[in-house]
Amino acid sequence: MTDGLRLTVLGSGYLGITHAACMASLGFDVLGVDTDGRKVDQLNAGRLPIYEPGLEELLREGLDAGRVRFTTSHAQAAAFGDVHFICTGTPQQTGSDHADLSQVNSCVAALAPLLDGPCLVVGKSTVPVGTARRLAAELSQACPGAELAWNPEFLREGSAVADTLAPDRIVVGVTSGRAEQILRQVYARPLAGGAALIVTSLETAELAKAAANAFLATKISFINAMAEICEAAGGDVRDLAQILGADPRIGPAFLRAGLGYGGGCLPKDIRAFVARAEELGAGASLAFLREVDAINLRRRARTADLAHELAGGNLTGVPVCVLGAAFKPGSDDVRDSPALDVAQILTGMGARVTVYDPAALDNARRARPELSYAPTLADAAQGAHVVLLLTEWQEFTALTPGSLGGIVARRNIIDARNVLDPVLWREAGWEYRALGVAEDAADRARQDASPW
Ligand code: UGA
């Protein structure tokens, strides 16, 4: 089924490791390449530098079967591969909204001169539209037999393996039938499993990823804008989201109101999309995404304000417990984490903040060494005057008013992910606040529903 194709995967961040391990599990011989020798050694020893359910097992299976290994040598990669996947990161540039393409550029610059026969180079990184066309020209100049395709990735952290092995769609931007045929071979198994294949141009393939992330971010900010209205008007955004989501034209996914989106993808991708549109003279088309970003960031400030309110208008010296550091549950990623941002804002307001997270403490310590961390939930909550639930880990959603009530000094809780039952917590004597739920909305709804 693999037709003897040999694959290389350049870049061993989230995307690269997942792609390498998954392709090996599909039966391909895979060589992963990274310039960081320590990471390469770690991966060859079967250890993941990231937290991703199921990925380490898959990596080890691939290593044990001799199907995957990692190297720092681009020369080895050029000699080994028929298909080379570019999976390097494209973070936000420091001091600008544009994507930093240095890793993608240097990866192609290192590989291209070493290629000497027919091969396919496939970009999977998220790049501004127009990048692939430029790289294709550079590549064919260095090696006339090499061709470029673009094949964006839609995997989510936390379900990266399933998203890669059983994607809902596979988008291939190609300039020849040969490139399409090779990618059909690479993805034969997921295609046989029902994934939709969309064959398109390089530009549309690049845009597909930017547009998908922009839409997801817009959906989240839309419901968070409704949350702001609910707070002002006395509504309940959880009920509102349920009502909207029941309409199949809208759908319930990505309508969870709360602290908003973070991570290494949505925030920087929509900024880079706007910046690229402006370069193309089409800035007005995406101007709304600036508001999407602004709504998202406002939720962080609002959460800090709620804590200030619950602390009686002064956070100076007040012990505050922050539950969550990862940008979402099931991940140890703290890039652009809303939870850590709120912890930082509260610290700036004078609070004595202690952060706990079941998986992301090491990364959080590295990213924000100025914050205080506790090794367990109980340690973090000990003596707290305000508790903030900022990432909806199961350990936090399973909390009960009684268990937490015995540890804290004052019963004040902010449910910034709308995962707790307000009635239960209020009945147990807690001052409960959520985002998008007016203080008395739940009580009012119950009274209005009562026949008496
Ligand atoms: C996102 C996209 O979902 C993937 O399709 C894409 O491939 C990936 O970015 C990428 O560009 O590489 P990911 O960043 O892993 O994936 O996380 P999501 O599950 O999309 O969540 C993003 C953020 O939105 C999280 O902070 C989450 O807490 C928040 N969110 C999500 C909400 O606040 N409300 C929701 O209803 C859903």
Side-chain angles (χ1 to χ4, degrees), residues 91-117:
Q92 187 172 339
Q93 271 178 22
T94 319
S96 117
D97 282 351
H98 288 273
D100 175 355
L101 295 179
S102 56
Q103 293 176 56
V104 170
N105 291 339
S106 58
C107 173
V108 174
L111 183 71
L114 302 168
L115 300 170
D116 65 356

PDB file of all heavy atoms in Angstrom, residues 91-117:
ATOM      1  N   PRO A  91       5.941  30.791  14.049  1.00  0.00           N
ATOM      2  CA  PRO A  91       5.402  31.613  15.140  1.00  0.00           C
ATOM      3  C   PRO A  91       5.166  33.062  14.715  1.00  0.00           C
ATOM      4  O   PRO A  91       5.554  33.444  13.603  1.00  0.00           O
ATOM      5  CB  PRO A  91       6.514  31.543  16.197  1.00  0.00           C
ATOM      6  CG  PRO A  91       7.763  31.249  15.435  1.00  0.00           C
ATOM      7  CD  PRO A  91       7.359  30.445  14.240  1.00  0.00           C
ATOM      8  N   GLN A  92       4.564  33.837  15.595  1.00  0.00           N
ATOM      9  CA  GLN A  92       4.371  35.267  15.312  1.00  0.00           C
ATOM     10  C   GLN A  92       5.731  35.960  15.422  1.00  0.00           C
ATOM     11  O   GLN A  92       6.522  35.659  16.318  1.00  0.00           O
ATOM     12  CB  GLN A  92       3.400  35.857  16.341  1.00  0.00           C
ATOM     13  CG  GLN A  92       2.999  37.287  16.044  1.00  0.00           C
ATOM     14  CD  GLN A  92       1.885  37.770  16.983  1.00  0.00           C
ATOM     15  OE1 GLN A  92       1.169  36.972  17.557  1.00  0.00           O
ATOM     16  NE2 GLN A  92       1.757  39.068  17.136  1.00  0.00           N
ATOM     17  N   GLN A  93       5.998  36.877  14.487  1.00  0.00           N
ATOM     18  CA  GLN A  93       7.255  37.636  14.576  1.00  0.00           C
ATOM     19  C   GLN A  93       7.243  38.526  15.810  1.00  0.00           C
ATOM     20  O   GLN A  93       6.206  39.086  16.144  1.00  0.00           O
ATOM     21  CB  GLN A  93       7.379  38.567  13.372  1.00  0.00           C
ATOM     22  CG  GLN A  93       8.045  37.986  12.182  1.00  0.00           C
ATOM     23  CD  GLN A  93       8.075  38.993  11.021  1.00  0.00           C
ATOM     24  OE1 GLN A  93       7.981  40.204  11.193  1.00  0.00           O
ATOM     25  NE2 GLN A  93       8.202  38.445   9.829  1.00  0.00           N
ATOM     26  N   THR A  94       8.383  38.673  16.440  1.00  0.00           N
ATOM     27  CA  THR A  94       8.450  39.580  17.584  1.00  0.00           C
ATOM     28  C   THR A  94       8.220  41.001  17.076  1.00  0.00           C
ATOM     29  O   THR A  94       8.844  41.419  16.103  1.00  0.00           O
ATOM     30  CB  THR A  94       9.845  39.488  18.249  1.00  0.00           C
ATOM     31  OG1 THR A  94      10.218  38.118  18.272  1.00  0.00           O
ATOM     32  CG2 THR A  94       9.853  40.056  19.644  1.00  0.00           C
ATOM     33  N   GLY A  95       7.287  41.685  17.720  1.00  0.00           N
ATOM     34  CA  GLY A  95       7.058  43.089  17.369  1.00  0.00           C
ATOM     35  C   GLY A  95       6.218  43.305  16.127  1.00  0.00           C
ATOM     36  O   GLY A  95       6.105  44.431  15.631  1.00  0.00           O
ATOM     37  N   SER A  96       5.628  42.253  15.570  1.00  0.00           N
ATOM     38  CA  SER A  96       4.735  42.446  14.411  1.00  0.00           C
ATOM     39  C   SER A  96       3.709  41.320  14.383  1.00  0.00           C
ATOM     40  O   SER A  96       3.861  40.316  15.071  1.00  0.00           O
ATOM     41  CB  SER A  96       5.558  42.465  13.113  1.00  0.00           C
ATOM     42  OG  SER A  96       5.222  41.401  12.260  1.00  0.00           O
ATOM     43  N   ASP A  97       2.669  41.512  13.575  1.00  0.00           N
ATOM     44  CA  ASP A  97       1.631  40.481  13.473  1.00  0.00           C
ATOM     45  C   ASP A  97       1.974  39.415  12.436  1.00  0.00           C
ATOM     46  O   ASP A  97       1.288  38.401  12.325  1.00  0.00           O
ATOM     47  CB  ASP A  97       0.290  41.122  13.083  1.00  0.00           C
ATOM     48  CG  ASP A  97      -0.356  41.799  14.286  1.00  0.00           C
ATOM     49  OD1 ASP A  97       0.152  41.622  15.408  1.00  0.00           O
ATOM     50  OD2 ASP A  97      -1.360  42.516  14.089  1.00  0.00           O
ATOM     51  N   HIS A  98       3.016  39.651  11.647  1.00  0.00           N
ATOM     52  CA  HIS A  98       3.362  38.714  10.575  1.00  0.00           C
ATOM     53  C   HIS A  98       3.900  37.393  11.124  1.00  0.00           C
ATOM     54  O   HIS A  98       4.425  37.343  12.237  1.00  0.00           O
ATOM     55  CB  HIS A  98       4.428  39.334   9.671  1.00  0.00           C
ATOM     56  CG  HIS A  98       3.904  40.444   8.816  1.00  0.00           C
ATOM     57  ND1 HIS A  98       3.324  40.232   7.601  1.00  0.00           N
ATOM     58  CD2 HIS A  98       3.845  41.775   9.036  1.00  0.00           C
ATOM     59  CE1 HIS A  98       2.942  41.384   7.083  1.00  0.00           C
ATOM     60  NE2 HIS A  98       3.242  42.350   7.943  1.00  0.00           N
ATOM     61  N   ALA A  99       3.774  36.356  10.292  1.00  0.00           N
ATOM     62  CA  ALA A  99       4.365  35.063  10.663  1.00  0.00           C
ATOM     63  C   ALA A  99       5.871  35.124  10.442  1.00  0.00           C
ATOM     64  O   ALA A  99       6.344  35.728   9.477  1.00  0.00           O
ATOM     65  CB  ALA A  99       3.747  33.963   9.808  1.00  0.00           C
ATOM     66  N   ASP A 100       6.593  34.476  11.322  1.00  0.00           N
ATOM     67  CA  ASP A 100       8.047  34.366  11.188  1.00  0.00           C
ATOM     68  C   ASP A 100       8.341  33.115  10.367  1.00  0.00           C
ATOM     69  O   ASP A 100       8.144  31.993  10.836  1.00  0.00           O
ATOM     70  CB  ASP A 100       8.662  34.274  12.591  1.00  0.00           C
ATOM     71  CG  ASP A 100      10.154  34.026  12.551  1.00  0.00           C
ATOM     72  OD1 ASP A 100      10.696  33.824  11.450  1.00  0.00           O
ATOM     73  OD2 ASP A 100      10.771  34.024  13.637  1.00  0.00           O
ATOM     74  N   LEU A 101       8.786  33.326   9.118  1.00  0.00           N
ATOM     75  CA  LEU A 101       8.986  32.197   8.196  1.00  0.00           C
ATOM     76  C   LEU A 101      10.421  31.686   8.188  1.00  0.00           C
ATOM     77  O   LEU A 101      10.794  30.881   7.319  1.00  0.00           O
ATOM     78  CB  LEU A 101       8.589  32.624   6.781  1.00  0.00           C
ATOM     79  CG  LEU A 101       7.110  32.951   6.592  1.00  0.00           C
ATOM     80  CD1 LEU A 101       6.829  33.390   5.164  1.00  0.00           C
ATOM     81  CD2 LEU A 101       6.244  31.746   6.934  1.00  0.00           C
ATOM     82  N   SER A 102      11.231  32.146   9.144  1.00  0.00           N
ATOM     83  CA  SER A 102      12.658  31.817   9.061  1.00  0.00           C
ATOM     84  C   SER A 102      12.909  30.310   9.091  1.00  0.00           C
ATOM     85  O   SER A 102      13.780  29.816   8.378  1.00  0.00           O
ATOM     86  CB  SER A 102      13.439  32.540  10.154  1.00  0.00           C
ATOM     87  OG  SER A 102      12.903  32.224  11.410  1.00  0.00           O
ATOM     88  N   GLN A 103      12.124  29.564   9.892  1.00  0.00           N
ATOM     89  CA  GLN A 103      12.385  28.113   9.965  1.00  0.00           C
ATOM     90  C   GLN A 103      12.010  27.412   8.658  1.00  0.00           C
ATOM     91  O   GLN A 103      12.726  26.528   8.189  1.00  0.00           O
ATOM     92  CB  GLN A 103      11.599  27.490  11.116  1.00  0.00           C
ATOM     93  CG  GLN A 103      12.066  27.946  12.492  1.00  0.00           C
ATOM     94  CD  GLN A 103      11.176  27.351  13.586  1.00  0.00           C
ATOM     95  OE1 GLN A 103      11.023  26.150  13.663  1.00  0.00           O
ATOM     96  NE2 GLN A 103      10.597  28.192  14.404  1.00  0.00           N
ATOM     97  N   VAL A 104      10.888  27.824   8.075  1.00  0.00           N
ATOM     98  CA  VAL A 104      10.472  27.216   6.801  1.00  0.00           C
ATOM     99  C   VAL A 104      11.497  27.555   5.729  1.00  0.00           C
ATOM    100  O   VAL A 104      11.957  26.677   4.974  1.00  0.00           O
ATOM    101  CB  VAL A 104       9.075  27.739   6.378  1.00  0.00           C
ATOM    102  CG1 VAL A 104       8.744  27.312   4.958  1.00  0.00           C
ATOM    103  CG2 VAL A 104       8.002  27.227   7.328  1.00  0.00           C
ATOM    104  N   ASN A 105      11.895  28.824   5.675  1.00  0.00           N
ATOM    105  CA  ASN A 105      12.856  29.249   4.648  1.00  0.00           C
ATOM    106  C   ASN A 105      14.182  28.516   4.784  1.00  0.00           C
ATOM    107  O   ASN A 105      14.742  28.029   3.804  1.00  0.00           O
ATOM    108  CB  ASN A 105      13.113  30.760   4.752  1.00  0.00           C
ATOM    109  CG  ASN A 105      11.877  31.564   4.334  1.00  0.00           C
ATOM    110  OD1 ASN A 105      11.012  31.034   3.632  1.00  0.00           O
ATOM    111  ND2 ASN A 105      11.792  32.802   4.764  1.00  0.00           N
ATOM    112  N   SER A 106      14.672  28.418   6.027  1.00  0.00           N
ATOM    113  CA  SER A 106      16.000  27.819   6.163  1.00  0.00           C
ATOM    114  C   SER A 106      15.943  26.316   5.928  1.00  0.00           C
ATOM    115  O   SER A 106      16.904  25.715   5.452  1.00  0.00           O
ATOM    116  CB  SER A 106      16.646  28.167   7.507  1.00  0.00           C
ATOM    117  OG  SER A 106      15.825  27.746   8.542  1.00  0.00           O
ATOM    118  N   CYS A 107      14.801  25.724   6.216  1.00  0.00           N
ATOM    119  CA  CYS A 107      14.632  24.293   5.970  1.00  0.00           C
ATOM    120  C   CYS A 107      14.695  24.011   4.462  1.00  0.00           C
ATOM    121  O   CYS A 107      15.411  23.107   4.017  1.00  0.00           O
ATOM    122  CB  CYS A 107      13.277  23.925   6.581  1.00  0.00           C
ATOM    123  SG  CYS A 107      12.712  22.331   6.302  1.00  0.00           S
ATOM    124  N   VAL A 108      13.990  24.794   3.663  1.00  0.00           N
ATOM    125  CA  VAL A 108      14.011  24.601   2.202  1.00  0.00           C
ATOM    126  C   VAL A 108      15.406  24.949   1.660  1.00  0.00           C
ATOM    127  O   VAL A 108      15.960  24.227   0.822  1.00  0.00           O
ATOM    128  CB  VAL A 108      12.923  25.461   1.516  1.00  0.00           C
ATOM    129  CG1 VAL A 108      13.040  25.387  -0.001  1.00  0.00           C
ATOM    130  CG2 VAL A 108      11.538  24.991   1.958  1.00  0.00           C
ATOM    131  N   ALA A 109      15.998  26.020   2.205  1.00  0.00           N
ATOM    132  CA  ALA A 109      17.332  26.422   1.726  1.00  0.00           C
ATOM    133  C   ALA A 109      18.370  25.341   2.028  1.00  0.00           C
ATOM    134  O   ALA A 109      19.299  25.130   1.250  1.00  0.00           O
ATOM    135  CB  ALA A 109      17.735  27.744   2.382  1.00  0.00           C
ATOM    136  N   ALA A 110      18.205  24.637   3.156  1.00  0.00           N
ATOM    137  CA  ALA A 110      19.174  23.587   3.509  1.00  0.00           C
ATOM    138  C   ALA A 110      18.960  22.334   2.660  1.00  0.00           C
ATOM    139  O   ALA A 110      19.916  21.675   2.263  1.00  0.00           O
ATOM    140  CB  ALA A 110      19.035  23.237   4.998  1.00  0.00           C
ATOM    141  N   LEU A 111      17.711  22.015   2.375  1.00  0.00           N
ATOM    142  CA  LEU A 111      17.406  20.759   1.673  1.00  0.00           C
ATOM    143  C   LEU A 111      17.604  20.868   0.154  1.00  0.00           C
ATOM    144  O   LEU A 111      18.197  19.976  -0.467  1.00  0.00           O
ATOM    145  CB  LEU A 111      15.955  20.348   1.985  1.00  0.00           C
ATOM    146  CG  LEU A 111      15.499  19.023   1.403  1.00  0.00           C
ATOM    147  CD1 LEU A 111      16.182  17.850   2.112  1.00  0.00           C
ATOM    148  CD2 LEU A 111      13.975  18.868   1.506  1.00  0.00           C
ATOM    149  N   ALA A 112      17.111  21.972  -0.425  1.00  0.00           N
ATOM    150  CA  ALA A 112      17.017  22.075  -1.890  1.00  0.00           C
ATOM    151  C   ALA A 112      18.338  21.787  -2.610  1.00  0.00           C
ATOM    152  O   ALA A 112      18.357  20.978  -3.555  1.00  0.00           O
ATOM    153  CB  ALA A 112      16.466  23.451  -2.270  1.00  0.00           C
ATOM    154  N   PRO A 113      19.466  22.386  -2.202  1.00  0.00           N
ATOM    155  CA  PRO A 113      20.701  22.138  -2.957  1.00  0.00           C
ATOM    156  C   PRO A 113      21.201  20.696  -2.866  1.00  0.00           C
ATOM    157  O   PRO A 113      22.034  20.280  -3.661  1.00  0.00           O
ATOM    158  CB  PRO A 113      21.725  23.084  -2.308  1.00  0.00           C
ATOM    159  CG  PRO A 113      21.025  23.831  -1.249  1.00  0.00           C
ATOM    160  CD  PRO A 113      19.651  23.295  -1.073  1.00  0.00           C
ATOM    161  N   LEU A 114      20.670  19.946  -1.888  1.00  0.00           N
ATOM    162  CA  LEU A 114      21.131  18.562  -1.699  1.00  0.00           C
ATOM    163  C   LEU A 114      20.303  17.561  -2.503  1.00  0.00           C
ATOM    164  O   LEU A 114      20.663  16.388  -2.607  1.00  0.00           O
ATOM    165  CB  LEU A 114      21.061  18.192  -0.210  1.00  0.00           C
ATOM    166  CG  LEU A 114      21.872  19.096   0.733  1.00  0.00           C
ATOM    167  CD1 LEU A 114      21.502  18.834   2.190  1.00  0.00           C
ATOM    168  CD2 LEU A 114      23.358  18.853   0.516  1.00  0.00           C
ATOM    169  N   LEU A 115      19.198  18.028  -3.060  1.00  0.00           N
ATOM    170  CA  LEU A 115      18.319  17.118  -3.818  1.00  0.00           C
ATOM    171  C   LEU A 115      18.885  16.959  -5.221  1.00  0.00           C
ATOM    172  O   LEU A 115      19.267  17.945  -5.847  1.00  0.00           O
ATOM    173  CB  LEU A 115      16.898  17.693  -3.892  1.00  0.00           C
ATOM    174  CG  LEU A 115      16.203  17.933  -2.544  1.00  0.00           C
ATOM    175  CD1 LEU A 115      14.909  18.724  -2.751  1.00  0.00           C
ATOM    176  CD2 LEU A 115      15.899  16.608  -1.851  1.00  0.00           C
ATOM    177  N   ASP A 116      18.922  15.729  -5.723  1.00  0.00           N
ATOM    178  CA  ASP A 116      19.476  15.618  -7.078  1.00  0.00           C
ATOM    179  C   ASP A 116      18.642  14.727  -7.999  1.00  0.00           C
ATOM    180  O   ASP A 116      19.078  14.345  -9.051  1.00  0.00           O
ATOM    181  CB  ASP A 116      20.943  15.159  -7.033  1.00  0.00           C
ATOM    182  CG  ASP A 116      21.075  13.744  -6.480  1.00  0.00           C
ATOM    183  OD1 ASP A 116      20.034  13.187  -6.082  1.00  0.00           O
ATOM    184  OD2 ASP A 116      22.203  13.208  -6.453  1.00  0.00           O
ATOM    185  N   GLY A 117      17.431  14.398  -7.581  1.00  0.00           N
ATOM    186  CA  GLY A 117      16.605  13.587  -8.480  1.00  0.00           C
ATOM    187  C   GLY A 117      15.160  13.985  -8.331  1.00  0.00           C
ATOM    188  O   GLY A 117      14.837  14.909  -7.587  1.00  0.00           O
TER     189      GLY A 117
END
